[in-house]
Amino acid sequence: MQPTKAGATRRQQILREAARLFAERGFHGVGVDEIGAAVGISGPGLYRHFAGKDAMLAELLVGISESLLAEGRRRVDEASGPGGALDSLVRGHTDFALDDQPLIVLHDRELDRLPDSDRKLVRQLQRRYVELWVQVVRDRYPAATEMEARAAVHAVFGLINSTPRLGAGEGRPARAAAGMLLNRLALAAFAALEGGGVGEGV
């Protein structure tokens, strides 16, 4: 039985607040009652939507991995040429990193808490996402080796996924400015592959 639109929306509200609370205080530092209070329902009422906190964490981490892969494939399919595809991938991942920072924190800190099956699924989805990027990078910079392209992709992920460390309050750049900066830095990093031979002499 498919959830109703209202039910699906409530599930998303619960997941969004759970991600925020887990990222702020750690998975074990948050109770079901607190998640329920954040969305205006009783803690026990959450069990109509999720079996428990473990199920929320699994849906968050599997869900974002599925979403990134699907969105990445869509962007590549709709792009005009390798340069456009790479630019679109960078912009899409930057949007994710700026808008869903709690999920980056959760992945770094809580992935090992998932059951083996869910953790393996996340890893499989992530590998496909990386391979999508590597192929686009090699199409854009054909002189680069696969090793160089792969290293560049992981380096750019590290750069873009640094958003939870950008600071807070007045010390944090505005959303639009941060996005433009991250996009420029990421594309400049890939531009270092121009002409190939990046690994020579290292």
Side-chain angles (χ1 to χ4, degrees), residues 13-200:
Q13 291 174 339
I14 294 169
L15 288 172
R16 184 167 56 249
E17 291 304 315
R20 179 182 65 81
L21 290 168
F22 292 159
E24 288 177 357
R25 291 158 48 194
F27 181 74
H28 287 305
V30 178
V32 171
D33 288 343
E34 294 167 276
I35 299 171
V39 294
I41 61 178
S42 67
L46 288 179
Y47 293 108
R48 292 197 298 269
H49 301 278
F50 297 96
K53 289 197 308 176
D54 290 338
M56 294 179 207
L57 182 63
E59 186 158 336
L60 283 165
L61 294 181
V62 173
I64 192 55
S65 297
E66 291 174 335
S67 178
L68 283 171
L69 179 58
E71 176 66 7
R73 286 172 170 168
R74 183 191 68 78
R75 286 174 174 271
V76 171
D77 288 344
E78 295 180 0
S80 55
L86 184 57
D87 182 76
S88 187
L89 282 177
V90 167
R91 291 179 184 279
H93 197 89
T94 296
D95 285 342
F96 152 70
L98 288 169
D99 296 336
D100 291 300
Q101 293 170 47
L103 294 176
I104 296 175
V105 175
L106 281 186
H107 179 273
D108 289 346
R109 199 166 60 197
E110 311 287 2
L111 180 63
D112 287 344
R113 298 191 188 280
L114 294 184
D116 286 345
S117 58
D118 288 326
R119 188 167 60 252
K120 288 177 181 177
L121 177 56
V122 169
R123 294 299 193 194
Q124 289 170 359
L125 292 165
Q126 289 174 334
R127 282 194 293 271
R128 293 173 194 163
Y129 187 55
V130 168
E131 293 309 315
L132 178 71
W133 279 67
V134 169
Q135 185 58 59
V136 169
V137 170
R138 296 199 72 193
D139 289 343
R140 173 64 182 85
Y141 297 103
T145 66
E146 180 178 348
M147 180 187 70
E148 290 167 345
R150 193 175 303 279
V153 167
H154 284 291
V156 166
F157 283 169
L159 166 69
I160 298 176
N161 289 347
S162 68
T163 52
R165 302 175 182 86
L166 290 181
E170 294 181 359
R172 184 181 184 84
R175 166 66 168 77
M180 291 175 63
L181 176 61
L182 289 171
N183 288 337
R184 289 201 305 271
L185 290 172
L187 292 172
F190 284 127
L193 295 170
E194 190 74 64
V198 176
E200 292 179 3

